[in-house]
Amino acid sequence: EAQVTQNPRYLITVTGKKLTVTCSQNMNHEYMSWYRQDPGLGLRQIYYSMNVEVTDKGDVPEGYKVSRKEKRNFPLILESPSPNQTSLYFCASSLSWRGGYNEQFFGPGTRLTVL
Amino acid sequence: AQTVTQSQPEMSVQEAETVTLSCTYDTSESDYYLFWYKQPPSRQMILVIRQEAYKQQNATENRFSVNFQKAAKSFSLKISDSQLGDAAMYFCAYRILISNFGNEKLTFGTGTRLTIIP
């Protein structure tokens, strides 16, 4: 089944404890992206990647890191989480960024709470 | 910068009736896509309908249709014959047609929570 998976789905952690949220897609998509969803703000892009080893900042990148060493994986890293990073996180992917329409497929979301 | 505004935080509709969700956006681009996404309690983001700005004809998908007014920068979603399963948060979203930087970023509105009254 074609899908985007995220792990963990739920995470409660404490301030300063490094964590990684994994994202994996099995559709051979070039483009991947991370969003965070907060009440009253909708979804906002954190980082994106056009292909392996090509990543760039979105609108709210502060406090996050990403890597794209393999085409299928795009982990989101919080080196020192803070309470303001408590949010619902979505990973998304699409076939290509090279023009035309490509539907973005979303993962199931990761609910992160930082105490 | 592009912005998307949904002015109705909450809406409710009687089952089997019709409801319209509003969305306005601001952009200086002439070519772009507009979307409506549904987010049920499961939190999954589900694409409901898509509209290309260069197409004059309004998109339809079964009970879902849009009213796209390009000059007014308005993109409303009409749900006909509302069903209990339509209860969800609905997000309007914008995407530029071709990005110079290869970023297929979706710019989202703040959402409208739709309740279906049995």
Side-chain angles (χ1 to χ4, degrees):
Chain A
E1 179 188 357
Q3 60 183 349
V4 180
T5 57
Q6 294 179 227
N7 283 291
R9 296 288 310 280
Y10 302 89
L11 179 59
I12 301 175
T13 188
V14 295
T15 299
K17 186 176 181 181
K18 181 180 178 179
L19 67 92
T20 299
V21 183
T22 65
C23 172
S24 183
Q25 49 89 8
N26 62 0
M27 296 169 279
N28 201 35
H29 284 175
E30 282 189 332
Y31 179 88
M32 298 185 75
S33 180
W34 278 102
Y35 295 87
R36 61 178 288 174
Q37 180 181 350
D38 302 290
L41 296 176
L43 285 78
R44 295 175 292 166
Q45 189 186 52
I46 304 171
Y47 268 94
Y48 69 97
S49 170
M50 293 186 289
N51 213 327
V52 175
E53 302 292 2
V54 182
T55 64
D56 206 348
K57 296 176 181 178
D59 294 324
V60 288
E62 294 77 21
Y64 304 95
K65 285 176 56 178
V66 293
S67 69
R68 188 94 180 269
K69 298 188 185 330
E70 304 168 283
K71 198 171 185 179
R72 64 184 295 126
N73 296 324
F74 190 44
L76 180 69
I77 304 156
L78 285 72
E79 295 267 0
S80 183
S82 62
N84 64 14
Q85 293 178 298
T86 293
S87 188
L88 177 59
Y89 291 87
F90 285 98
C91 181
S93 73
S94 65
L95 183 61
S96 172
W97 54 270
R98 302 172 200 275
Y101 176 71
N102 296 290
E103 181 177 347
Q104 282 198 31
F105 294 84
F106 283 82
T110 295
R111 169 70 70 187
L112 172 64
T113 301
V114 183
L115 302 175
Chain B
Q2 294 83 13
T3 59
V4 177
T5 301
Q6 294 179 250
S7 58
Q8 306 155 315
E10 296 182 350
M11 293 278 286
S12 61
V13 63
Q14 207 79 29
E15 192 176 3
E17 296 295 308
T18 295
V19 64
T20 298
L21 308 184
S22 300
C23 173
T24 59
Y25 59 95
D26 188 25
T27 183
S28 58
E29 303 291 334
S30 57
D31 290 324
Y32 47 87
Y33 298 107
L34 295 165
F35 307 88
W36 279 98
Y37 281 86
K38 171 185 178 181
Q39 187 180 49
S42 66
R43 303 199 309 251
Q44 183 69 44
M45 293 293 288
I46 302 166
L47 179 63
V48 174
I49 200 165
R50 168 183 106 243
Q51 175 79 45
E52 288 87 348
Y54 54 86
K55 290 186 178 179
Q56 293 184 335
Q57 186 171 5
N58 289 325
T60 62
E61 287 287 342
N62 301 314
R63 297 183 296 107
F64 299 87
S65 61
V66 299
N67 183 6
F68 174 48
Q69 302 289 328
K70 191 173 183 180
K73 295 182 181 174
S74 171
F75 183 60
S76 61
L77 175 70
K78 185 171 82 171
I79 306 174
S80 304
D81 185 25
S82 299
Q83 301 175 359
L84 294 177
D86 295 333
M89 180 75 87
Y90 286 82
F91 290 99
C92 179
Y94 162 101
R95 204 208 92 187
I96 193 169
L97 196 71
I98 299 175
S99 167
N100 292 331
F101 303 101
N103 188 3
E104 296 203 334
K105 178 181 77 173
L106 293 165
T107 299
F108 287 86
T110 53
T112 296
R113 184 169 301 283
L114 178 65
T115 300
I116 311 297
I117 303 167

